[in-house]
Amino acid sequence: MIIAKNCGFRNNRLVTRVLYLPPDFCYNLFMIQIFGTTKNFDTKKAQMWFKERRIPFQFIDLKEKEMSRGEFESVVDSVARVAGSRADALELLVDKKSKDYASFAYLDDADKEEKLFENQLLMRLPICRNGKNAAICGLEPKIWEGWK
């Protein structure tokens, strides 16, 4: 990957430096993704945490663009590895303080997963994902420290 960087002016001429980066650097550039909303304070805290440590991340606003089916399945699978089962992972992912939680609580497990995919704002935010290996819902800076 080649990046051209404007460094300023010297003798009334624009000085540009060309940086050559290895291909693996480009792959690891935005491995951390933060799913959330711009008005959520925990999402803002997560963004500030990564910015303060100069860790590159990609922010996805769930109000503008929801997760695809593959991203959602990857997040549920990652949380299920820690929780033990998909049903436990769904219980960890859902925000019990949400207004729509009453309609979600009494559904079957298969229906819960579909309802959570349809209404992704029911999830506990932020959802931070490190590639396809790890996903964490909520503020967990102690776990994020290992993602550097």
Side-chain angles (χ1 to χ4, degrees):
M1 178 175 175
I2 300 171
I3 297 176
K5 180 180 178 184
N6 293 331
C7 295
F9 289 93
R10 186 180 303 153
N11 297 335
N12 294 331
R13 298 173 88 185
L14 180 65
V15 176
T16 304
R17 289 192 180 146
V18 178
L19 304 172
Y20 295 96
L21 301 174
D24 61 337
F25 178 82
C26 304
Y27 178 71
N28 293 328
L29 192 57
F30 289 112
M31 288 300 291
I32 295 176
Q33 293 178 320
I34 300 175
F35 294 95
T37 60
T38 54
K39 292 186 177 184
N40 186 294
F41 289 111
D42 288 342
T43 302
K44 289 179 184 179
K45 287 179 190 176
Q47 288 177 329
M48 285 306 299
W49 192 90
F50 285 109
K51 282 181 187 175
E52 287 170 356
R53 286 149 185 82
R54 295 185 177 154
I55 300 172
F57 65 89
Q58 178 185 18
F59 173 70
I60 297 101
D61 190 0
L62 289 176
K63 285 188 176 178
E64 292 178 12
K65 183 181 178 200
E66 294 184 340
M67 287 187 215
S68 67
R69 176 60 81 173
E71 288 173 330
F72 179 76
E73 292 293 330
S74 174
V75 167
V76 173
D77 288 341
S78 297
V79 175
R81 272 187 239 125
V82 175
S85 69
R86 282 183 83 83
D88 294 337
L90 291 174
E91 289 299 320
L92 285 175
L93 281 171
V94 72
D95 184 12
K96 293 179 174 78
K97 297 175 186 173
S98 176
K99 291 185 264 182
D100 297 333
Y101 180 70
S103 65
F104 178 83
Y106 299 107
L107 296 174
D108 293 335
D109 289 339
D111 295 334
K112 283 184 179 182
E113 188 168 344
E114 192 59 37
K115 174 80 170 183
L116 198 58
F117 177 70
E118 289 171 5
N119 187 3
Q120 294 181 5
L121 294 177
L122 268 173
M123 289 191 269
R124 217 170 81 195
L125 300 178
I127 296 172
C128 298
R129 184 174 118 164
N130 187 8
K132 291 189 176 186
N133 301 330
I136 302 295
C137 55
L139 283 175
E140 298 290 341
K142 291 181 181 177
I143 295 174
W144 298 338
E145 288 176 3
W147 288 3
K148 297 176 184 179

